[in-house]
Amino acid sequence: MIRFFTLLLFVTSLFSAQVENLRWSNGETYLVFLERVNLPVKKLYYDLDKDDQRLTEEMRAGVNYQILKDNNSTIEQVLLPLNDELQIHLYRDKNEYHFEAIPIISSTKTEAFALEITRSPNYDILKQTDSQKIAQIFTANFRNSLNFKRDLRVGDPLVMIYEQKYRLGLPFSMPTLKVAMIEMRGKQHFIYLNDDGRYYDEKAHEVEGFLLARPVKGARISSYFTKRRFHPILKKWKAHLGVDYAARRGTPVVAAGSGRVIKAGRAGSYGNLIKIRHADGYETRYAHLKSFRRGIRRGKYVKKGQTIGYVGTTGRSTGPHLHFELRKRGRAINPLRVVQVTTKKLKGKEKKAFLKLKKNYDESVNLHLTNKTAFIKSANHETCCYVFAG
Ligand SMILES: [Zn+2]
């Protein structure tokens, strides 16, 4: 409970003490930050375990963070958001500084709106919602299946239902699209978010997104992606920003997508690491490799499915496995949302469950269509605190 108490203290003292709202600058690292603001580097970095040290590498340019100072300008607390669920909390207690990773407290609301096209989905959604993010999730999800330019007419209706996270009453982080419908030439087209975290159309066929291959064929997943999880033995919050595939030492690792190798070498706790840069700001990372395939080096172009290295246990690793990460513009995302060999068609029990979900969604969509539900603008956009720029 201490954790939440300290956080609450921070929130309530926002208005009495001196809070600086700052933006993490390009090229700043956690270590440089500690030195710049005169915080003890040994206690707050070198004494941390490797997992916590790894977390500090997640700070990204553009993120809003806060420093709380007392009347003598001594730093009392620092909040550094790492992703939309976890943040680093540095605080002073009895003249000593401490490090902890704590959850970001947020609430989630389901929201919906309907509109009629005047120009294009992107233009009209943006006009109605003022949100680049909401427009973006709509167009990104329909991009591969529909041709708006050819088939869309003025007056065609569109409905979106999505989840938005809020912190202290303000929206933050990317919304999650639950269902979207757009009507073109009298035909309704849907996308539904299924319980498996993937999108399907009205025929229970998976909607093709950014397709990647599985990096180790037939391997069992031994650890899933999570932005935060409470470790019951260590009694602290951690993140696992990748997926672990357990496989025998020497098992070939293939490039999950075509792209250019931007690193093939040692990288601290990652051990032998390969990084590949793909189109659209995507990057994949393959860690703990036993060795690299001959000829795989920085600058080399590789094709999807091509062997690049071999499973090992180099770096901080307890046994042979591949630690696989997917990043988009630096931010870690769950690879299982996109890694797949082919698109899926739901069958049997899975299809039945999906159709039930679909029926509920369809009813809501029709309701919003009939009611012409308008987008509800939230309170003013952030002027100060706790909003994670993302
Ligand atoms: Zn891992």
Side-chain angles (χ1 to χ4, degrees), residues 257-310:
S258 302
R260 198 166 295 283
V261 175
I262 52 170
K263 181 174 180 87
R266 295 291 291 195
S269 56
Y270 276 120
N272 286 328
L273 174 73
I274 292 177
K275 284 192 202 180
I276 299 176
R277 189 166 59 212
H278 309 279
D280 293 334
Y282 284 102
E283 180 190 306
T284 50
R285 296 183 182 177
Y286 312 75
H288 311 312
L289 299 173
K290 172 175 163 272
S291 56
F292 308 116
R293 190 184 185 180
R294 185 194 294 260
I296 295 298
R297 63 177 77 90
R298 195 190 148 107
K300 170 118 180 121
Y301 184 83
V302 291
K303 284 211 163 126
K304 179 170 166 174
Q306 183 183 333
T307 298
I308 51 172
Y310 305 93

CSV table of all heavy atoms in Angstrom, one decimal, residues 257-310:
chain,number,residue,atom,x,y,z
A,257,GLY,N,10.8,-10.4,-40.5
A,257,GLY,CA,10.4,-9.6,-41.6
A,257,GLY,C,11.6,-9.1,-42.4
A,257,GLY,O,12.7,-9.2,-41.9
A,258,SER,N,11.3,-8.7,-43.6
A,258,SER,CA,12.5,-8.2,-44.4
A,258,SER,C,12.9,-6.9,-43.9
A,258,SER,O,12.1,-6.1,-43.5
A,258,SER,CB,12.0,-8.1,-45.9
A,258,SER,OG,11.6,-9.3,-46.4
A,259,GLY,N,14.2,-6.6,-44.0
A,259,GLY,CA,14.7,-5.3,-43.5
A,259,GLY,C,16.2,-5.3,-43.5
A,259,GLY,O,16.8,-6.2,-43.9
A,260,ARG,N,16.7,-4.2,-42.9
A,260,ARG,CA,18.1,-4.1,-42.8
A,260,ARG,C,18.7,-4.3,-41.4
A,260,ARG,O,18.1,-3.8,-40.4
A,260,ARG,CB,18.5,-2.6,-43.3
A,260,ARG,CG,20.0,-2.5,-43.7
A,260,ARG,CD,20.3,-1.2,-44.4
A,260,ARG,NE,19.6,-1.2,-45.7
A,260,ARG,CZ,20.0,-1.8,-46.8
A,260,ARG,NH1,21.1,-2.6,-46.8
A,260,ARG,NH2,19.3,-1.7,-48.0
A,261,VAL,N,19.7,-5.1,-41.3
A,261,VAL,CA,20.4,-5.3,-40.0
A,261,VAL,C,21.0,-4.0,-39.5
A,261,VAL,O,21.8,-3.5,-40.3
A,261,VAL,CB,21.4,-6.5,-40.1
A,261,VAL,CG1,22.2,-6.6,-38.8
A,261,VAL,CG2,20.8,-7.8,-40.5
A,262,ILE,N,20.6,-3.6,-38.3
A,262,ILE,CA,21.2,-2.3,-37.8
A,262,ILE,C,22.2,-2.6,-36.7
A,262,ILE,O,22.9,-1.8,-36.2
A,262,ILE,CB,20.2,-1.2,-37.5
A,262,ILE,CG1,19.1,-1.8,-36.5
A,262,ILE,CG2,19.6,-0.6,-38.7
A,262,ILE,CD1,18.2,-0.7,-36.0
A,263,LYS,N,22.1,-3.9,-36.2
A,263,LYS,CA,23.1,-4.3,-35.2
A,263,LYS,C,23.2,-5.8,-35.2
A,263,LYS,O,22.2,-6.5,-35.3
A,263,LYS,CB,22.7,-3.8,-33.8
A,263,LYS,CG,23.7,-4.2,-32.7
A,263,LYS,CD,23.4,-3.7,-31.3
A,263,LYS,CE,24.5,-4.2,-30.4
A,263,LYS,NZ,25.7,-3.3,-30.4
A,264,ALA,N,24.5,-6.3,-35.1
A,264,ALA,CA,24.7,-7.7,-34.9
A,264,ALA,C,26.0,-7.8,-34.0
A,264,ALA,O,27.1,-7.7,-34.5
A,264,ALA,CB,24.9,-8.4,-36.2
A,265,GLY,N,25.8,-7.8,-32.7
A,265,GLY,CA,26.9,-7.8,-31.8
A,265,GLY,C,26.5,-8.0,-30.3
A,265,GLY,O,25.3,-8.2,-30.0
A,266,ARG,N,27.4,-7.8,-29.4
A,266,ARG,CA,27.1,-7.9,-28.0
A,266,ARG,C,26.4,-6.7,-27.5
A,266,ARG,O,26.6,-5.6,-28.0
A,266,ARG,CB,28.4,-8.0,-27.2
A,266,ARG,CG,29.3,-9.2,-27.4
A,266,ARG,CD,28.7,-10.5,-26.8
A,266,ARG,NE,28.6,-10.6,-25.4
A,266,ARG,CZ,28.3,-11.7,-24.7
A,266,ARG,NH1,28.2,-12.8,-25.4
A,266,ARG,NH2,28.2,-11.7,-23.4
A,267,ALA,N,25.4,-6.9,-26.6
A,267,ALA,CA,24.7,-5.7,-26.1
A,267,ALA,C,24.3,-6.0,-24.7
A,267,ALA,O,23.1,-6.3,-24.4
A,267,ALA,CB,23.5,-5.4,-27.0
A,268,GLY,N,25.2,-5.9,-23.7
A,268,GLY,CA,24.9,-6.1,-22.3
A,268,GLY,C,24.1,-7.3,-21.9
A,268,GLY,O,24.4,-8.4,-22.3
A,269,SER,N,23.0,-7.0,-21.2
A,269,SER,CA,22.2,-8.2,-20.8
A,269,SER,C,21.5,-8.9,-21.9
A,269,SER,O,21.0,-10.0,-21.7
A,269,SER,CB,21.2,-7.7,-19.7
A,269,SER,OG,20.4,-6.6,-20.3
A,270,TYR,N,21.4,-8.3,-23.1
A,270,TYR,CA,20.8,-8.9,-24.2
A,270,TYR,C,21.7,-10.0,-24.8
A,270,TYR,O,21.3,-10.8,-25.6
A,270,TYR,CB,20.6,-7.9,-25.4
A,270,TYR,CG,19.3,-7.1,-25.3
A,270,TYR,CD1,19.4,-5.7,-25.3
A,270,TYR,CD2,18.1,-7.6,-25.4
A,270,TYR,CE1,18.3,-4.9,-25.3
A,270,TYR,CE2,16.9,-6.9,-25.4
A,270,TYR,CZ,17.0,-5.5,-25.4
A,270,TYR,OH,15.9,-4.7,-25.4
A,271,GLY,N,23.0,-10.0,-24.4
A,271,GLY,CA,23.9,-11.0,-25.0
A,271,GLY,C,24.2,-10.7,-26.4
A,271,GLY,O,24.2,-9.5,-26.8
A,272,ASN,N,24.3,-11.7,-27.2
A,272,ASN,CA,24.5,-11.5,-28.7
A,272,ASN,C,23.1,-11.1,-29.2
A,272,ASN,O,22.1,-11.8,-29.2
A,272,ASN,CB,24.9,-12.8,-29.4
A,272,ASN,CG,26.4,-13.1,-29.1
A,272,ASN,OD1,27.2,-12.1,-28.9
A,272,ASN,ND2,26.7,-14.3,-29.0
A,273,LEU,N,23.1,-9.9,-29.8
A,273,LEU,CA,21.8,-9.3,-30.3
A,273,LEU,C,21.9,-8.9,-31.7
A,273,LEU,O,22.9,-8.4,-32.2
A,273,LEU,CB,21.6,-8.0,-29.4
A,273,LEU,CG,20.4,-7.1,-29.8
A,273,LEU,CD1,19.1,-7.8,-29.4
A,273,LEU,CD2,20.5,-5.8,-29.1
A,274,ILE,N,20.7,-9.2,-32.4
A,274,ILE,CA,20.5,-8.7,-33.8
A,274,ILE,C,19.3,-7.7,-33.7
A,274,ILE,O,18.3,-8.0,-33.1
A,274,ILE,CB,20.3,-9.8,-34.8
A,274,ILE,CG1,21.5,-10.7,-34.9
A,274,ILE,CG2,19.8,-9.2,-36.1
A,274,ILE,CD1,21.3,-11.9,-35.9
A,275,LYS,N,19.5,-6.6,-34.4
A,275,LYS,CA,18.4,-5.6,-34.5
A,275,LYS,C,18.2,-5.5,-36.0
A,275,LYS,O,19.1,-5.2,-36.8
A,275,LYS,CB,18.7,-4.3,-34.0
A,275,LYS,CG,18.7,-4.1,-32.5
A,275,LYS,CD,18.8,-2.6,-32.2
A,275,LYS,CE,19.3,-2.4,-30.8
A,275,LYS,NZ,19.4,-0.9,-30.5
A,276,ILE,N,16.9,-5.6,-36.5
A,276,ILE,CA,16.6,-5.4,-37.9
A,276,ILE,C,15.5,-4.2,-38.0
A,276,ILE,O,14.6,-4.2,-37.2
A,276,ILE,CB,16.0,-6.6,-38.5
A,276,ILE,CG1,17.0,-7.8,-38.4
A,276,ILE,CG2,15.6,-6.4,-40.0
A,276,ILE,CD1,16.4,-9.1,-38.9
A,277,ARG,N,15.8,-3.3,-38.9
A,277,ARG,CA,14.9,-2.2,-39.1
A,277,ARG,C,14.0,-2.5,-40.3
A,277,ARG,O,14.5,-2.9,-41.4
A,277,ARG,CB,15.6,-0.9,-39.4
A,277,ARG,CG,14.7,0.3,-39.4
A,277,ARG,CD,15.5,1.6,-39.3
A,277,ARG,NE,16.4,1.7,-40.4
A,277,ARG,CZ,17.6,2.3,-40.4
A,277,ARG,NH1,18.0,2.8,-39.2
A,277,ARG,NH2,18.4,2.3,-41.4
A,278,HIS,N,12.7,-2.4,-40.1
A,278,HIS,CA,11.7,-2.7,-41.2
A,278,HIS,C,11.0,-1.4,-41.7
A,278,HIS,O,11.3,-0.4,-41.1
A,278,HIS,CB,10.7,-3.7,-40.7
A,278,HIS,CG,11.3,-4.9,-40.0
A,278,HIS,ND1,11.7,-6.0,-40.7
A,278,HIS,CD2,11.5,-5.2,-38.7
A,278,HIS,CE1,12.2,-6.9,-39.9
A,278,HIS,NE2,12.1,-6.4,-38.6
A,279,ALA,N,10.1,-1.6,-42.6
A,279,ALA,CA,9.3,-0.4,-43.1
A,279,ALA,C,8.5,0.1,-42.0
A,279,ALA,O,8.2,-0.5,-41.0
A,279,ALA,CB,8.5,-0.9,-44.3
A,280,ASP,N,8.0,1.3,-42.2
A,280,ASP,CA,7.0,2.0,-41.3
A,280,ASP,C,7.4,2.2,-39.9
A,280,ASP,O,6.6,2.1,-38.9
A,280,ASP,CB,5.7,1.2,-41.3
A,280,ASP,CG,5.0,1.3,-42.7
A,280,ASP,OD1,5.2,2.3,-43.4
A,280,ASP,OD2,4.2,0.4,-43.0
A,281,GLY,N,8.7,2.3,-39.6
A,281,GLY,CA,9.2,2.5,-38.3
A,281,GLY,C,9.3,1.3,-37.4
A,281,GLY,O,9.5,1.4,-36.2
A,282,TYR,N,9.1,0.1,-37.9
A,282,TYR,CA,9.1,-1.1,-37.1
A,282,TYR,C,10.6,-1.6,-37.0
A,282,TYR,O,11.4,-1.4,-37.9
A,282,TYR,CB,8.3,-2.3,-37.8
A,282,TYR,CG,6.8,-2.1,-37.6
A,282,TYR,CD1,6.0,-1.7,-38.6
A,282,TYR,CD2,6.2,-2.5,-36.4
A,282,TYR,CE1,4.7,-1.5,-38.5
A,282,TYR,CE2,4.9,-2.3,-36.2
A,282,TYR,CZ,4.1,-1.9,-37.3
A,282,TYR,OH,2.7,-1.8,-37.1
A,283,GLU,N,10.9,-2.2,-35.8
A,283,GLU,CA,12.2,-2.8,-35.6
A,283,GLU,C,12.0,-4.1,-34.8
A,283,GLU,O,11.2,-4.1,-33.9
A,283,GLU,CB,13.0,-1.8,-34.7
A,283,GLU,CG,14.4,-2.2,-34.4
A,283,GLU,CD,15.1,-1.3,-33.4
A,283,GLU,OE1,15.2,-0.1,-33.6
A,283,GLU,OE2,15.6,-1.9,-32.4
A,284,THR,N,12.8,-5.1,-35.2
A,284,THR,CA,12.7,-6.4,-34.4
A,284,THR,C,14.1,-6.6,-33.8
A,284,THR,O,15.1,-6.2,-34.3
A,284,THR,CB,12.3,-7.6,-35.2
A,284,THR,OG1,13.1,-7.6,-36.4
A,284,THR,CG2,10.9,-7.5,-35.6
A,285,ARG,N,14.1,-7.2,-32.6
A,285,ARG,CA,15.3,-7.5,-31.8
A,285,ARG,C,15.3,-9.0,-31.5
A,285,ARG,O,14.3,-9.6,-31.0
A,285,ARG,CB,15.4,-6.7,-30.6
A,285,ARG,CG,15.5,-5.2,-30.8
A,285,ARG,CD,15.6,-4.5,-29.5
A,285,ARG,NE,15.7,-3.0,-29.8
A,285,ARG,CZ,15.7,-2.1,-28.8
A,285,ARG,NH1,15.8,-2.5,-27.6
A,285,ARG,NH2,15.7,-0.8,-29.2
A,286,TYR,N,16.5,-9.6,-31.6
A,286,TYR,CA,16.7,-11.1,-31.3
A,286,TYR,C,17.8,-11.2,-30.3
A,286,TYR,O,19.0,-10.9,-30.7
A,286,TYR,CB,17.0,-11.8,-32.6
A,286,TYR,CG,16.0,-11.4,-33.8
A,286,TYR,CD1,16.2,-10.2,-34.4
A,286,TYR,CD2,15.0,-12.3,-34.2
A,286,TYR,CE1,15.3,-9.8,-35.5
A,286,TYR,CE2,14.1,-11.9,-35.2
A,286,TYR,CZ,14.3,-10.7,-35.8
A,286,TYR,OH,13.4,-10.3,-36.8
A,287,ALA,N,17.5,-11.6,-29.1
A,287,ALA,CA,18.5,-11.5,-28.0
A,287,ALA,C,19.0,-12.9,-27.6
A,287,ALA,O,18.3,-13.9,-27.8
A,287,ALA,CB,18.0,-10.7,-26.9
A,288,HIS,N,20.1,-13.0,-26.8
A,288,HIS,CA,20.7,-14.2,-26.2
A,288,HIS,C,21.2,-15.2,-27.2
A,288,HIS,O,21.3,-16.4,-26.9
A,288,HIS,CB,19.7,-14.9,-25.2
A,288,HIS,CG,19.0,-13.9,-24.3
A,288,HIS,ND1,19.7,-13.0,-23.5
A,288,HIS,CD2,17.7,-13.8,-23.9
A,288,HIS,CE1,18.8,-12.3,-22.8
A,288,HIS,NE2,17.6,-12.8,-23.0
A,289,LEU,N,21.5,-14.7,-28.5
A,289,LEU,CA,21.9,-15.7,-29.5
A,289,LEU,C,23.2,-16.4,-29.2
A,289,LEU,O,24.1,-15.8,-28.6
A,289,LEU,CB,22.0,-15.0,-30.8
A,289,LEU,CG,20.7,-14.3,-31.4
A,289,LEU,CD1,21.0,-13.5,-32.6
A,289,LEU,CD2,19.7,-15.4,-31.7
A,290,LYS,N,23.3,-17.6,-29.6
A,290,LYS,CA,24.6,-18.3,-29.4
A,290,LYS,C,25.6,-17.7,-30.4
A,290,LYS,O,26.7,-17.4,-30.0
A,290,LYS,CB,24.3,-19.8,-29.7
A,290,LYS,CG,25.6,-20.7,-29.8
A,290,LYS,CD,25.1,-22.2,-30.0
A,290,LYS,CE,26.2,-23.0,-30.5
A,290,LYS,NZ,26.3,-23.0,-32.0
A,291,SER,N,25.1,-17.5,-31.6
A,291,SER,CA,26.0,-17.0,-32.6
A,291,SER,C,25.2,-16.4,-33.8
A,291,SER,O,24.0,-16.6,-33.9
A,291,SER,CB,27.0,-18.0,-33.2
A,291,SER,OG,26.2,-19.1,-33.7
A,292,PHE,N,25.9,-15.6,-34.6
A,292,PHE,CA,25.2,-15.1,-35.8
A,292,PHE,C,25.5,-15.9,-37.0
A,292,PHE,O,26.5,-16.6,-37.1
A,292,PHE,CB,25.8,-13.7,-36.1
A,292,PHE,CG,25.7,-12.8,-34.9
A,292,PHE,CD1,26.9,-12.3,-34.3
A,292,PHE,CD2,24.5,-12.4,-34.3
A,292,PHE,CE1,26.9,-11.5,-33.1
A,292,PHE,CE2,24.4,-11.6,-33.2
A,292,PHE,CZ,25.6,-11.2,-32.6
A,293,ARG,N,24.6,-15.9,-38.0
A,293,ARG,CA,24.9,-16.6,-39.2
A,293,ARG,C,26.0,-15.9,-39.9
A,293,ARG,O,26.1,-14.7,-39.9
A,293,ARG,CB,23.6,-16.7,-40.1
A,293,ARG,CG,23.8,-17.6,-41.2
A,293,ARG,CD,22.7,-17.7,-42.1
A,293,ARG,NE,22.9,-18.7,-43.1
A,293,ARG,CZ,22.0,-18.9,-44.1
A,293,ARG,NH1,20.9,-18.3,-44.2
A,293,ARG,NH2,22.3,-19.9,-45.0
A,294,ARG,N,26.8,-16.7,-40.6
A,294,ARG,CA,27.9,-16.1,-41.4
A,294,ARG,C,27.4,-15.0,-42.3
A,294,ARG,O,26.4,-15.2,-43.0
A,294,ARG,CB,28.7,-17.1,-42.1
A,294,ARG,CG,29.9,-16.7,-42.9
A,294,ARG,CD,30.3,-17.7,-43.9
A,294,ARG,NE,30.8,-18.9,-43.2
A,294,ARG,CZ,32.0,-19.3,-43.0
A,294,ARG,NH1,33.0,-18.5,-43.4
A,294,ARG,NH2,32.4,-20.4,-42.3
A,295,GLY,N,28.0,-13.8,-42.3
A,295,GLY,CA,27.6,-12.8,-43.3
A,295,GLY,C,26.5,-11.8,-42.7
A,295,GLY,O,26.2,-10.8,-43.3
A,296,ILE,N,26.0,-12.2,-41.5
A,296,ILE,CA,25.0,-11.3,-41.0
A,296,ILE,C,25.7,-10.2,-40.2
A,296,ILE,O,26.3,-10.5,-39.1
A,296,ILE,CB,24.0,-12.0,-40.0
A,296,ILE,CG1,23.2,-13.1,-40.8
A,296,ILE,CG2,23.1,-11.1,-39.3
A,296,ILE,CD1,22.3,-12.4,-41.9
A,297,ARG,N,25.7,-9.0,-40.7
A,297,ARG,CA,26.3,-7.9,-40.0
A,297,ARG,C,25.6,-6.6,-40.3
A,297,ARG,O,24.7,-6.6,-41.2
A,297,ARG,CB,27.8,-7.8,-40.4
A,297,ARG,CG,28.0,-7.5,-41.9
A,297,ARG,CD,29.4,-7.3,-42.2
A,297,ARG,NE,30.1,-8.6,-42.3
A,297,ARG,CZ,30.2,-9.3,-43.4
A,297,ARG,NH1,29.7,-8.8,-44.6
A,297,ARG,NH2,30.8,-10.5,-43.5
A,298,ARG,N,25.9,-5.6,-39.6
A,298,ARG,CA,25.3,-4.3,-39.7
A,298,ARG,C,25.3,-3.8,-41.2
A,298,ARG,O,26.3,-3.9,-41.9
A,298,ARG,CB,26.1,-3.3,-38.9
A,298,ARG,CG,25.4,-2.0,-38.7
A,298,ARG,CD,26.4,-1.0,-38.0
A,298,ARG,NE,26.1,0.3,-38.5
A,298,ARG,CZ,25.5,1.2,-37.7
A,298,ARG,NH1,25.4,0.9,-36.4
A,298,ARG,NH2,25.2,2.4,-38.1
A,299,GLY,N,24.1,-3.4,-41.7
A,299,GLY,CA,24.0,-2.9,-43.0
A,299,GLY,C,23.5,-3.9,-44.0
A,299,GLY,O,23.1,-3.6,-45.1
A,300,LYS,N,23.5,-5.2,-43.6
A,300,LYS,CA,23.1,-6.3,-44.5
A,300,LYS,C,21.6,-6.3,-44.6
A,300,LYS,O,20.8,-6.1,-43.6
A,300,LYS,CB,23.6,-7.6,-44.0
A,300,LYS,CG,23.1,-8.8,-44.6
A,300,LYS,CD,24.2,-9.6,-45.3
A,300,LYS,CE,23.6,-10.8,-46.0
A,300,LYS,NZ,23.9,-10.9,-47.4
A,301,TYR,N,21.0,-6.5,-45.8
A,301,TYR,CA,19.6,-6.6,-46.0
A,301,TYR,C,19.2,-8.0,-45.9
A,301,TYR,O,19.8,-8.9,-46.5
A,301,TYR,CB,19.2,-6.0,-47.4
A,301,TYR,CG,17.7,-6.0,-47.7
A,301,TYR,CD1,16.9,-5.0,-47.2
A,301,TYR,CD2,17.1,-7.1,-48.3
A,301,TYR,CE1,15.6,-5.0,-47.3
A,301,TYR,CE2,15.7,-7.1,-48.5
A,301,TYR,CZ,15.0,-6.1,-48.0
A,301,TYR,OH,13.6,-6.1,-48.2
A,302,VAL,N,18.2,-8.3,-45.1
A,302,VAL,CA,17.7,-9.7,-45.0
A,302,VAL,C,16.3,-9.8,-45.4
A,302,VAL,O,15.5,-8.9,-45.3
A,302,VAL,CB,17.9,-10.3,-43.5
A,302,VAL,CG1,19.4,-10.4,-43.2
A,302,VAL,CG2,17.3,-9.4,-42.5
A,303,LYS,N,15.9,-11.0,-45.8
A,303,LYS,CA,14.5,-11.3,-46.2
A,303,LYS,C,13.8,-12.0,-45.1
A,303,LYS,O,14.4,-12.8,-44.3
A,303,LYS,CB,14.5,-12.2,-47.5
A,303,LYS,CG,14.9,-11.4,-48.7
A,303,LYS,CD,14.2,-12.0,-49.9
A,303,LYS,CE,14.2,-11.1,-51.1
A,303,LYS,NZ,14.7,-11.7,-52.3
A,304,LYS,N,12.5,-11.8,-45.1
A,304,LYS,CA,11.6,-12.5,-44.1
A,304,LYS,C,11.8,-14.0,-44.2
A,304,LYS,O,11.8,-14.5,-45.3
A,304,LYS,CB,10.2,-12.1,-44.5
A,304,LYS,CG,9.1,-12.8,-43.6
A,304,LYS,CD,7.8,-12.1,-44.0
A,304,LYS,CE,6.6,-12.8,-43.5
A,304,LYS,NZ,5.4,-12.0,-43.8
A,305,GLY,N,12.1,-14.6,-43.1
A,305,GLY,CA,12.2,-16.1,-43.1
A,305,GLY,C,13.7,-16.6,-43.2
A,305,GLY,O,14.0,-17.7,-43.1
A,306,GLN,N,14.6,-15.6,-43.5
A,306,GLN,CA,16.0,-16.0,-43.7
A,306,GLN,C,16.7,-16.2,-42.4
A,306,GLN,O,16.4,-15.4,-41.4
A,306,GLN,CB,16.7,-14.8,-44.5
A,306,GLN,CG,18.1,-15.1,-44.8
A,306,GLN,CD,18.7,-13.8,-45.5
A,306,GLN,OE1,18.0,-13.0,-46.1
A,306,GLN,NE2,20.0,-13.6,-45.3
A,307,THR,N,17.5,-17.3,-42.3
A,307,THR,CA,18.2,-17.5,-41.0
A,307,THR,C,19.2,-16.4,-40.8
A,307,THR,O,20.0,-16.1,-41.6
A,307,THR,CB,18.9,-18.9,-41.0
A,307,THR,OG1,17.9,-19.9,-41.2
A,307,THR,CG2,19.6,-19.2,-39.7
A,308,ILE,N,19.2,-15.9,-39.5
A,308,ILE,CA,20.1,-14.8,-39.2
A,308,ILE,C,21.1,-15.2,-38.0
A,308,ILE,O,22.1,-14.6,-37.9
A,308,ILE,CB,19.4,-13.5,-38.8
A,308,ILE,CG1,18.3,-13.8,-37.8
A,308,ILE,CG2,18.7,-12.9,-40.1
A,308,ILE,CD1,17.6,-12.5,-37.2
A,309,GLY,N,20.6,-16.2,-37.2
A,309,GLY,CA,21.5,-16.6,-36.1
A,309,GLY,C,20.9,-17.9,-35.4
A,309,GLY,O,20.1,-18.5,-36.0
A,310,TYR,N,21.5,-18.2,-34.2
A,310,TYR,CA,21.1,-19.4,-33.6
A,310,TYR,C,20.8,-19.2,-32.1
A,310,TYR,O,21.4,-18.4,-31.4
A,310,TYR,CB,22.3,-20.4,-33.8
A,310,TYR,CG,22.6,-20.6,-35.2
A,310,TYR,CD1,23.6,-19.8,-35.8
A,310,TYR,CD2,21.9,-21.4,-36.1
A,310,TYR,CE1,23.9,-19.9,-37.2
A,310,TYR,CE2,22.1,-21.5,-37.4
A,310,TYR,CZ,23.1,-20.7,-38.0
A,310,TYR,OH,23.4,-20.8,-39.3
